Amino acid sequence: MPRRKPTIAGNWKMHLDRTKAVELARAVRRGAEALGPGVDVAVVPPFVYLEAVAKELAGSPVRLGAQNVCEQREGAFTGEISAAMLKDVGCSFALVGHSERRHVYGEDDARVAAKLRALLDAGLDAVLCVGETLAERDSNRTEYVVREQTTQALLGVSADEVRRVTLAYEPVWAIGTGRNATAVQASDVHLYLRGLLSGLYDGQVAEAVRIQYGGSVKPDNAAELLNAPSVDGALVGGASLKADSFLAIAAAAPR
Ligand code: PGA
């Protein structure tokens, strides 16, 4: 069974301006080239800077992703961006189901599933984010929540297609709070999700799908988290806005 290559993605959220986005992309590109092919590096800028960042990354191994996508193909959907448009400007993937989309913008599992379908149909990859709130963890509902989120999003996704999906386990209480899950907490959920994939598909698929951890990943906790069993990389928010900290996290991934 080939080892799953770790993937480190920087979710820039609604930060930076055009100049800073291009500078950061340039520095990430240099750093990723120096790290070599043992780790996949990706950046996820705001929509309006995707094209400028794509130019900066042209010919480099750094992958470009979007933070969101519309579930519709095209039409009168003011303010939305389609999967085909993302592909057109150089994206190879997009996030779906990020907790800020679920909890701030009210996206439910059905919408997340439709967005995932739109990406797969357009030939793009997807990072499907799942994770429990603190109240859900405290009432022992973590496994139930991530099972529902994962199962609902993957309804109708074939075994071939799911290989283009990366899961990101992002406990809501760890996002932007400085309070990361421990390596054991992360691993427990990742192993649970892998078991779930094995049941939904089969063992081979479950071993092939990458599961990233996200939530307050920083250079000083990266090595422990990234070396935990079944953790195949990180989805990084705050620490991805500076090349030094983001690249230090990427360098901590087992290669
Ligand atoms: P954080 O964000 O690293 O700032 O906690 C992670 C994320 O939302 O993907």
Side-chain angles (χ1 to χ4, degrees):
M1 192 79 63
R3 194 174 66 87
R4 292 179 300 271
K5 202 201 262 197
T7 177
I8 310 295
N11 174 8
W12 297 355
K13 305 193 180 181
M14 198 170 74
H15 292 293
L16 307 173
D17 59 22
R18 187 185 180 90
T19 305
K20 290 197 179 99
V22 169
E23 279 170 11
L24 180 55
R26 187 173 307 146
V28 168
R29 173 188 184 145
R30 272 199 222 107
E33 283 167 357
L35 278 176
V39 53
D40 282 342
V41 175
V43 293
V44 188
F47 283 137
V48 290
Y49 303 136
L50 284 171
E51 199 156 15
V53 169
K55 272 198 198 117
E56 200 56 51
L57 297 179
S60 93
V62 179
R63 300 179 75 214
L64 182 66
Q67 298 173 18
N68 190 16
V69 63
C70 182
E71 65 276 22
Q72 305 288 344
R73 244 174 224 271
E74 66 173 332
F77 301 103
T78 301
E80 294 293 325
I81 307 285
S82 72
M85 291 171 182
L86 296 179
K87 200 171 177 186
D88 205 18
V89 295
C91 289
S92 59
F93 73 98
L95 310 182
V96 293
H98 188 279
S99 81
E100 286 144 23
R101 300 301 317 170
R102 292 182 192 266
H103 296 287
V104 185
Y105 294 98
E107 290 184 9
D108 60 10
D109 287 331
R111 193 170 296 268
V112 173
K115 288 176 181 234
L116 181 56
R117 172 47 55 206
L119 290 175
L120 294 172
D121 286 350
L124 291 173
D125 295 348
V127 175
L128 167 63
C129 307
V130 301
E132 81 289 0
T133 63
L134 192 56
E136 288 163 345
R137 172 163 284 265
D138 287 345
S139 53
N140 288 324
R141 289 167 66 219
T142 298
E143 290 186 354
Y144 168 80
V145 170
V146 298
R147 178 175 71 233
E148 281 303 299
Q149 290 174 337
T150 306
T151 309
Q152 297 295 326
L154 293 179
L155 273 179
V157 173
S158 72
D160 271 352
E161 288 173 326
V162 80
R163 292 171 185 272
R164 288 159 48 205
V165 177
T166 296
L167 290 185
Y169 169 55
E170 298 206 301
V172 180
W173 48 271
I175 296 178
T177 59
R179 178 184 168 195
N180 60 284
T182 64
V184 171
Q185 285 173 323
S187 237
D188 281 351
V189 177
H190 286 224
L191 289 165
Y192 174 76
L193 287 169
R194 216 171 283 293
L196 180 68
L197 289 172
S198 183
L200 292 173
Y201 298 95
D202 59 38
Q204 257 193 346
V205 168
E207 282 306 310
V209 170
R210 291 191 289 193
I211 308 179
Q212 293 174 294
Y213 167 77
S216 296
V217 179
K218 308 279 180 232
D220 61 357
N221 60 24
E224 198 186 345
L225 285 162
L226 293 171
N227 282 288
S230 233
V231 174
D232 308 317
L235 183 53
V236 186
S240 73
L241 297 173
K242 292 259 183 320
D244 286 356
S245 48
F246 182 60
L247 292 166
I249 292 168
R255 273 171 287 144

